[in-house]
Amino acid sequence: MGEEIDGNNVLAQSLKAQGVEFIFGIIGYPVIELSMALQMADIHYIGMRNEQAACYAAQAIGYLTGNPAGVLCVSGPGVLHTFGGMANAQINCWPVVVIGGSAPQDHEGIGGFQECNQVELARPYCKYSARPPSISLIPLHVEKAVRLAKNGRPGAVYLDFPANILSSKVDSDKIPPQYGPTDIPTIYPDPKKIQDAIEVLTQAKKPLVIVGKGAAYARAENEVNELINLTNLPFLATPMGKGVVSDTSEKCIGPARSLALQKADVILLLGARLNWILHFGRPVRFSPDVKIIQIDISAEELHNSIKSTVAIQSDLKTAVSSMVDGLKQKRFNFSSREEWWKLLQTKCNDNKKIVQAMANDIAPPLNYYAVFKNLYEHIPDDCIIVSEGANTMDIGRSILLNKYPRHRLDAGTFGTMGVGPGFAIAASLYCKHYEPKKRVICVEGDSAFGFSGMEIETMVRYKLPIIVVVVNNSGIYTGMEPEVFKDIQESGEITKVTPPGCLSSCTRYDNMMALFGKTGFFVKTIPELNASIEEALKITDGPTVINVIISPTADRKPQTFSWLTESKL
């Protein structure tokens, strides 16, 4: 006979055995004792202020490390609050393990406290949703959940634990031996398809490479850089594919994105999906005759939206490495596409001049381009940039450049607002444990910041040196001039005449730091912005907020197309 052990400790030890190092959550009945068991199992527990933010933070750790973190939440509403985060992780393809407490089994069906059919409700938002039926089966379900979260296309998993399972005890001899985390199997490409891809690519007159978030997650940056440098191919990056090859590379033709997509005759997709971010791969944003070479870890993604000319299911590292080897043997000269490069470079230069002119306009009230240009010039080259908000995120992508992979976290494929503070907390914890000299810059639109702004307290509590920059235009997309807003407030009909996208004018988000006996920065001019960034970088024992007031009507440069491709059906 062994010693008795309760479900809390079995679960905590199982998570540790599967390599889970970080758990984010909010405690309450019935997971209070579990949170302490997690710490006793040598797992980092980070208490958050909202379950959605906890789930955002956990999935960002999964993306940055390749190993899932956990989310701990209470029964009923606590679990329901994670669903936004679970859906985001599932669609972003980031691994995360959500652990929900639930009502005792003997209270089910008779109106138990926070009774909720959590396993079934979670199922649409994850790869695996289950409730271990006994303490002895907890290790099996934890191993399976972690394995499924990581393997194939990564995503979210959910495990449900009734209060009676967590608190009950069994003899430790009845717990089956725990085996540790298994290696993620490597999927190798079909050699014939690699040769087909090389044949199509070498015949292209206007080739283009698109580097996606999948390439970043696959840690394929060395292979992708070798491919780009060997072939002299122009490339674009999806938002979180930025930095796999440096945005500052002369091969990056991001400023000519629309032209490149329209005119390319062959496109090599590296871990990028033909979803809304890439306009589904369809005309008028793409040539009707474009040939697509698609490499993806998920077979289900191949031929999605349009039929690819060559579709390869494979790990990105192995597939790109195989292509590089094949191209070297072929000894094909990619430097002959002078007309294609001339067209792209001319467009890049024209667009850069437009952006530069807007960035040089530093007269108050400021515009986005001036703010981002000066912010970029004062932040470290290797900082992790977190960004969310409508114009804030979209414009920032083109000016806040990334030189390294997995150094940009934003609203992603699901377009989720509220992710910023959670992502920033995860990134800062990642830096603290793995790359302590790096800083995290969290660039927020004022609307986006409102979703999860109280996570500032979490940053303060754990002394995370995050610089939060709120680009404040007093609204969603656009706001109102202070005098006009004041007149409307005093009109007595504010709910009928205020534009739905307006927020309070020039809100002092910087004053949130006063809650903790600290001082934020209130900025209206470029000299004030530059000085505040320099001062904020000196703060290493906690976060700070730089509140940058910009024109409520500031907008992006004129677009060739609407940002979202509309259905023609």
Side-chain angles (χ1 to χ4, degrees):
M1 292 288 290
E3 295 183 357
E4 282 196 322
I5 184 170
D6 66 12
N8 288 308
N9 282 286
V10 172
L11 175 53
Q13 292 168 18
S14 298
L15 289 164
K16 181 67 176 180
Q18 296 306 319
V20 175
E21 295 292 339
F22 296 90
I23 301 282
F24 301 80
I26 298 177
I27 67 162
Y29 177 82
V31 297
I32 298 171
E33 290 78 10
L34 175 57
S35 65
M36 293 183 281
L38 292 167
Q39 291 178 314
M40 290 174 62
D42 198 30
I43 293 174
H44 299 285
Y45 177 80
I46 302 92
M48 303 285 284
R49 300 304 301 266
N50 178 280
E51 288 92 353
Q52 276 194 35
C55 200
Y56 298 144
Q59 64 194 257
I61 286 285
Y63 173 66
L64 292 169
T65 67
N67 197 50
V71 182
L72 181 64
C73 54
V74 302
S75 52
V79 173
L80 294 177
H81 287 170
T82 68
F83 288 172
M86 289 173 68
N88 191 71
Q90 187 71 355
I91 292 171
N92 252 5
C93 308
W94 289 359
V96 68
V97 180
V98 179
I99 302 152
S102 57
Q105 288 168 303
D106 59 334
H107 289 186
E108 290 179 354
I110 56 173
F113 174 66
Q114 295 184 334
E115 181 186 349
C116 187
N117 191 5
Q118 294 164 190
V119 175
E120 290 305 314
L121 288 171
R123 205 176 298 282
Y125 308 106
C126 59
K127 295 178 70 176
Y128 178 67
S129 182
R131 171 190 285 183
S134 67
I135 294 176
S136 62
L137 287 174
I138 288 175
L140 180 149
H141 282 273
V142 170
E143 186 280 328
K144 184 174 182 179
V146 173
R147 174 164 44 84
L148 293 182
K150 295 189 299 183
N151 285 9
R153 173 181 281 179
V157 295
Y158 175 71
L159 291 176
D160 192 72
F161 293 94
N164 58 296
I165 293 286
L166 292 174
S167 61
S168 297
K169 295 182 179 181
V170 297
D171 191 291
S172 59
D173 289 343
K174 293 184 178 180
I175 306 298
Q178 174 75 262
Y179 55 90
T182 54
D183 293 333
I184 300 173
T186 301
I187 299 176
Y188 288 88
D190 179 342
K192 172 65 167 57
K193 289 188 178 294
I194 291 292
Q195 289 305 314
D196 291 344
I198 290 172
E199 191 65 28
V200 172
L201 191 61
T202 53
Q203 290 178 7
K205 293 183 173 140
K206 297 177 181 177
L208 176 67
V209 177
I210 299 180
V211 182
K213 180 173 58 198
Y217 186 81
R219 274 66 179 166
E221 53 267 21
N222 292 338
E223 291 77 10
V224 175
N225 272 275
E226 186 176 8
L227 173 69
I228 296 296
N229 292 330
L230 171 71
T231 59
N232 192 41
L233 288 172
F235 78 91
L236 294 169
T238 63
M240 277 185 276
K242 284 162 58 69
V244 172
V245 184
S246 174
D247 287 342
T248 61
S249 166
E250 61 183 13
K251 311 290 195 308
C252 178
I253 46 88
R257 183 181 191 271
S258 293
L259 176 72
L261 295 178
Q262 266 197 308
K263 301 296 185 182
D265 60 356
V266 172
I267 294 177
L268 173 60
L269 284 179
L270 301 179
R273 291 174 279 179
L274 290 175
N275 55 19
W276 66 273
I277 291 176
L278 289 175
H279 316 289
F280 316 108
R282 299 176 183 176
V284 294
R285 301 300 291 262
F286 286 72
S287 166
D289 302 319
V290 66
K291 294 179 180 179
I292 301 291
I293 302 168
Q294 189 178 15
I295 304 175
D296 201 281
I297 194 70
S298 172
E300 291 81 358
E301 188 61 37
L302 302 177
H303 305 294
N304 195 37
S305 182
I306 65 171
K307 182 172 173 36
S308 297
T309 306
V310 183
I312 303 170
Q313 183 193 13
S314 176
D315 175 80
L316 255 295
K317 289 169 69 76
T318 59
V320 176
S321 181
S322 296
M323 286 193 71
V324 167
D325 291 343
L327 287 163
K328 286 179 178 177
Q329 292 174 13
K330 199 172 181 70
R331 296 181 180 177
F332 187 82
N333 180 16
F334 276 92
S335 62
S336 61
R337 289 156 175 77
E338 293 181 6
E339 289 301 314
W340 177 227
W341 266 112
K342 183 178 179 181
L343 182 66
L344 293 172
Q345 288 169 344
T346 299
K347 189 63 174 178
C348 281
N349 291 335
D350 289 346
N351 280 338
K352 284 179 180 178
K353 288 177 184 177
I354 296 172
V355 169
Q356 191 64 42
M358 298 176 76
N360 288 340
D361 178 7
I362 62 172
L366 299 172
N367 67 70
Y368 288 101
Y369 295 87
V371 171
F372 292 142
K373 174 181 179 289
N374 285 274
L375 176 61
Y376 179 69
E377 289 174 351
H378 286 79
I379 59 178
D381 282 350
D382 64 347
C383 69
I384 295 178
I385 300 172
V386 179
S387 184
E388 64 169 332
N391 290 335
T392 297
M393 180 176 64
D394 293 340
I395 297 171
R397 286 171 180 158
S398 63
I399 301 178
L400 300 175
L401 305 182
N402 294 99
K403 297 182 179 180
Y404 305 98
R406 298 170 298 280
H407 280 58
R408 180 182 176 86
L409 302 169
D410 70 19
T413 312
F414 208 27
T416 308
M417 291 296 102
V419 296
F423 282 2
I425 288 167
S428 190
L429 285 165
Y430 169 81
C431 292
K432 181 178 180 180
H433 286 87
Y434 302 106
E435 299 187 64
K437 293 184 179 180
K438 285 193 176 172
R439 295 299 296 267
V440 176
I441 313 295
C442 182
V443 186
E444 298 275 303
D446 53 329
S447 169
F449 182 66
F451 284 82
S452 305
M454 272 312 298
E455 296 301 338
I456 290 285
E457 188 275 328
T458 307
M459 301 175 190
V460 171
R461 192 173 357 123
Y462 293 106
K463 295 187 173 182
L464 300 176
I466 298 165
I467 299 173
V468 179
V469 181
V470 180
V471 184
N472 188 349
N473 73 339
S474 305
I476 304 170
Y477 302 114
T478 58
M480 298 181 71
E481 296 292 346
E483 298 79 8
V484 178
F485 182 74
K486 183 177 180 182
D487 288 343
I488 287 179
Q489 277 188 308
E490 294 173 353
S491 70
E493 294 290 341
I494 186 169
T495 56
K496 291 184 179 180
V497 298
T498 304
C502 283
L503 301 173
S504 296
S505 182
C506 300
T507 301
R508 292 294 302 267
Y509 297 107
D510 52 297
N511 284 343
M512 290 180 70
M513 295 308 301
L515 298 171
F516 315 105
K518 300 178 183 294
T519 303
F521 299 90
F522 185 64
V523 168
K524 286 190 171 182
T525 68
I526 290 301
E528 290 173 346
L529 173 65
N530 295 339
S532 68
I533 299 166
E534 291 177 6
E535 287 302 310
L537 286 168
K538 297 175 185 177
I539 299 171
T540 58
D541 63 346
T544 191
V545 174
I546 302 174
N547 184 21
V548 186
I549 304 300
I550 68 169
S551 169
T553 58
D555 204 352
R556 67 186 76 190
K557 76 178 183 67
Q559 303 293 300
T560 305
F561 295 98
S562 171
W563 69 276
L564 183 64
T565 299
E566 299 297 333
S567 171
K568 298 297 187 292
L569 300 179

